[in-house]
Amino acid sequence: MMKMKTPTQVAITPPAGLRRRLGLPLLVLYGTGVTVGAGIYVLIGAVAGHAGVYSSWAFALAAAVMALTGASYAELATRYPVSAGEAAYVRAAFNSRLLSTAVGSLRLATGIISAAAVTLGGAGYMGRLIELPTPLIAVAIVAALGLVAAWGILESVMLAGLLTMIETGGLVWIIGSAIHSGVSFSPALFAPPPLDAGVLSGITFASLLAFFAFVGFEDLANVVEEAKSPQRNIPRAMALTLLITSVLYLLIAAISVSAVPPSILATSTAPLSLVFSAVAGISPTTFNVIAVVSTLNTILAQITMTARVVYGMAQQGDLPSIAARVHSRTGTPLIATGLIMLAVAALALLLPLERLAEITSLATLTIFALVNLSLLRIRSPHTRSDAALARVPLWIPLLGLVTCVLMMGSTLFTP
């Protein structure tokens, strides 16, 4: 009887060069910082414009999809603890360099596009503080944060950790002020939406934008070569990041649409400043500073992560080897970082915020679908693979794959 051939196991060995300097607390601060800054500060207005008073439901739907895929990432990160993780997962699952390169390139594109989107959001808040043209502010932001990213991974993540505590404090300030001032946000948090096609369609499309607000936890898979005890700490950091951001997002979304009419939120370039003024009753200047800090944190983390994707793909032979050069003093991939800075600045000058967020969400969902599919393939009895320290039930990547595809498909029926 002929034996079925099994795909050749792909050996993926972490290359030398990057330094393991990040423990669990810094990993959680990094993941939370990039996620929070990319989301609620920038996109609550756009989400409210589509979902209205049911915005918290859009965030809840996005969180559920993200949690399923997050579990798949956690297992794969323990099997293949390398930079450019998504490309490595696909190569291990399908033994295809072409598909691996395509996924790595898509991951690279999402990092650049999302950083450009948040740069525009940050420029919007900063424009409330200084009177300069938005394009000039955007370019200055990217240049300054690119230099920090080139300085060193420990320095970048420690700065990101400090900024994360500030930006999270801003959200807690809003929540505390809303409770103190008696804002009734329970209906927006718990009341289910009606079974109306228009309302449900709006929530579904808003969930695609809200999904962008959760983009960030997967960045942890791409700093895995700089994490201490990565097979233990990366899954824990992912889980804690998703838990913290989900709770904050649901509360802030409910408070925002309860304190300020969604139609007004949707037209503002600094929507949470309006919410802060409404619930705290004081000038939003201080909060605008916090919002700027929040968006700067995300941009810094995205530039840092995306440069590691370039580095990892160059190490795997998918990009020119020059992009894998690590500076001996800083321990960072300087050439990769410089290329990312140029790409982010260019996109921030060319496309509007909501369009950038939509493109990022669709591209990220495509990557997530392939990550879930890769785990299903790797767990197949006919596929040999590296051992995993974190192991999830097979229904999780299956349901993760289905929900990603459904969320992408829903955009076809949304005006």
Side-chain angles (χ1 to χ4, degrees):
M1 183 175 178
M2 183 179 293
K3 292 184 178 180
M4 181 179 295
K5 291 185 178 181
T6 59
T8 303
Q9 182 179 1
V10 179
I12 301 173
T13 305
L18 300 179
R19 305 169 187 168
R20 296 196 182 279
R21 305 174 73 186
L22 308 179
L24 181 60
L26 282 178
L27 289 169
V28 173
L29 286 172
Y30 174 86
T32 303
V34 66
T35 305
V36 170
I40 207 77
Y41 279 91
V42 173
L43 278 177
I44 183 60
V47 170
H50 292 280
V53 296
Y54 302 107
S55 293
S56 60
W57 287 83
F59 280 103
L61 179 58
V65 173
M66 192 65 87
L68 292 168
T69 299
S72 295
Y73 263 98
E75 176 170 336
L76 287 167
T78 67
R79 291 179 182 270
Y80 310 103
V82 294
S83 297
E86 294 89 350
Y89 308 155
V90 169
R91 181 175 292 189
F94 300 101
N95 197 24
S96 169
R97 180 169 181 173
L98 179 62
L99 184 57
S100 170
T101 302
V103 171
S105 300
L106 189 58
R107 185 69 186 92
L108 180 59
T110 59
I112 294 170
I113 296 168
S114 64
V118 183
T119 296
L120 287 178
Y125 280 104
M126 193 171 287
R128 300 293 181 95
L129 302 173
I130 55 176
E131 293 186 4
L132 288 175
T134 298
L136 180 60
I137 295 175
V139 171
I141 287 173
V142 174
L145 296 179
L147 291 175
V148 175
W151 183 15
I153 184 64
L154 181 61
E155 292 78 8
S156 296
V157 175
M158 287 184 68
L159 176 59
L162 174 62
L163 300 181
T164 296
M165 289 187 283
I166 294 173
E167 70 184 13
T168 304
L171 299 183
V172 172
W173 193 357
I174 287 180
I175 294 169
S177 297
I179 294 173
H180 182 264
S181 61
V183 174
S184 178
F185 57 89
S186 294
L189 190 60
F190 298 112
L195 297 177
D196 177 82
V199 172
L200 295 178
S201 176
I203 293 173
T204 302
F205 184 76
S207 71
L208 181 65
L209 297 177
F211 186 84
F212 174 85
F214 287 94
V215 170
F217 88 90
E218 77 283 1
D219 289 3
L220 290 164
N222 290 304
V223 296
V224 67
E225 290 183 36
E226 292 156 293
K228 298 175 182 177
S229 304
Q231 293 177 312
R232 180 189 65 189
N233 286 334
I234 291 295
R236 292 179 179 179
M238 288 181 175
L240 289 170
T241 294
L242 283 175
L243 177 62
I244 292 167
T245 53
S246 296
V247 171
L248 288 174
Y249 284 2
L250 291 177
L251 289 173
I252 292 295
I255 290 168
S256 296
V257 297
S258 301
V260 179
S263 59
I264 296 177
L265 284 176
T267 60
S268 174
T269 58
L272 276 191
S273 288
L274 297 179
V275 177
F276 178 80
S277 296
V279 299
I282 59 178
S283 170
T285 301
T286 301
F287 188 82
N288 284 338
V289 173
I290 294 174
V292 169
V293 166
S294 174
T295 53
L296 294 183
N297 192 11
T298 294
I299 300 162
L300 173 60
Q302 287 286 18
I303 291 175
T304 300
M305 176 280 303
T306 310
R308 270 61 183 176
V309 175
V310 173
Y311 164 85
M313 292 181 67
Q315 283 282 355
Q316 295 175 33
D318 296 331
L319 290 176
S321 59
I322 191 174
R325 292 183 182 176
V326 175
H327 193 275
S328 59
R329 187 178 63 82
T330 65
T332 59
L334 292 185
I335 294 175
T337 302
L339 292 173
I340 297 305
M341 288 169 58
L342 292 174
V344 170
L347 273 182
L349 298 176
L350 292 175
L351 292 175
L353 170 61
E354 187 168 331
R355 182 60 177 159
L356 287 169
E358 183 182 349
I359 293 171
T360 302
S361 294
L362 286 170
T364 302
L365 282 165
T366 301
I367 294 170
F368 285 2
L370 288 169
V371 166
N372 285 300
L373 185 61
S374 294
L375 181 54
L376 290 170
R377 173 69 171 171
I378 287 169
R379 291 279 293 274
S380 165
H382 303 299
T383 304
R384 296 194 302 270
S385 65
D386 292 358
L389 294 184
R391 193 175 176 91
V392 300
L394 273 179
W395 62 265
I396 287 182
L398 178 60
L399 192 54
L401 172 63
V402 171
T403 53
C404 286
V405 172
L406 288 176
M407 186 171 279
M408 287 188 289
S410 69
T411 61
L412 299 176
F413 305 99
T414 303

